[in-house]
Amino acid sequence: MLKEMQDLHDLYAKVHATIHQMVDGLTDDQWVKKPADNFNNIASILQHTLLVERRFFAQLKGEAADIDARAPFVATSWDVAKIKEMWAENERLARDAFEHLTAEELDQPGAKLGVGEVNKRQLAAYAIAHTAHHRGQIPLVKKLLDL
């Protein structure tokens, strides 16, 4: 793996580790409980994050990914066990996507995002930034639920 990508993968793993710590010990009911009708729950936040990561990792590999990452925010039920499985699988998918990128591929087009077109280097960084952004929502939800 390129040093640059190894550094990004290490950061990705660190962000994921902090999320693990935040949700460790929570019950499935706590994962799916909403602090209010207009708030997301922990399950929807994490499932959304995982789906976005999957789309970005596929794009890093040059694959098309038809993934509805907004679905968890409109869902009425969530499978916590499936989300936890996706979590472990995404960590493997990240390594696979990051380790196969060559220096030349990093400058290739990665995706068209809300911020504009980004190359694969930027897409890898954006994947981490997106996860870190949603990571920040978890303590708020926990605080509102008195967890």
Side-chain angles (χ1 to χ4, degrees):
M1 184 181 307
L2 295 171
K3 169 85 168 93
E4 178 179 3
M5 296 313 296
Q6 182 63 56
D7 287 348
L8 287 174
H9 183 268
D10 290 350
L11 178 59
Y12 170 84
K14 288 175 183 179
V15 170
H16 265 233
T18 63
I19 296 171
H20 281 290
Q21 291 172 349
M22 288 180 195
V23 300
D24 187 43
L26 295 180
T27 66
D28 288 4
D29 288 340
Q30 291 169 325
W31 274 62
V32 299
K33 186 173 182 181
K34 289 185 172 189
D37 287 338
N38 60 340
F39 274 77
N40 295 313
N41 57 23
I42 292 170
S44 64
I45 293 166
L46 290 181
Q47 187 174 21
H48 163 76
T49 300
L50 295 168
L51 292 171
V52 169
E53 285 181 0
R54 285 177 179 223
R55 185 173 61 223
F56 289 169
F57 298 155
Q59 290 169 311
L60 284 172
K61 293 171 68 175
E63 300 169 358
D66 185 23
I67 297 173
D68 182 4
R70 295 185 186 271
F73 293 142
V74 297
T76 56
S77 65
W78 301 266
D79 185 340
V80 175
K82 182 180 177 184
I83 295 168
K84 290 177 181 179
E85 287 175 20
M86 286 177 65
W87 192 261
E89 186 177 346
N90 272 33
E91 291 177 358
R92 290 187 300 275
L93 292 172
R95 175 163 285 288
D96 184 54
F98 286 25
E99 75 183 357
H100 290 99
L101 286 167
T102 65
E104 296 78 30
E105 288 173 323
L106 293 178
D107 292 323
Q108 292 176 353
K112 186 178 245 184
L113 305 172
V115 296
E117 290 190 27
V118 297
N119 63 31
K120 290 184 178 183
R121 173 184 291 106
Q122 294 165 325
L123 182 58
Y126 197 85
I128 298 164
H130 178 266
T131 298
H133 161 75
H134 285 293
R135 173 198 174 277
Q137 296 173 335
I138 296 168
L140 173 62
V141 171
K142 288 177 68 175
K143 183 174 183 172
L144 292 170
L145 292 173
D146 290 324
L147 300 178

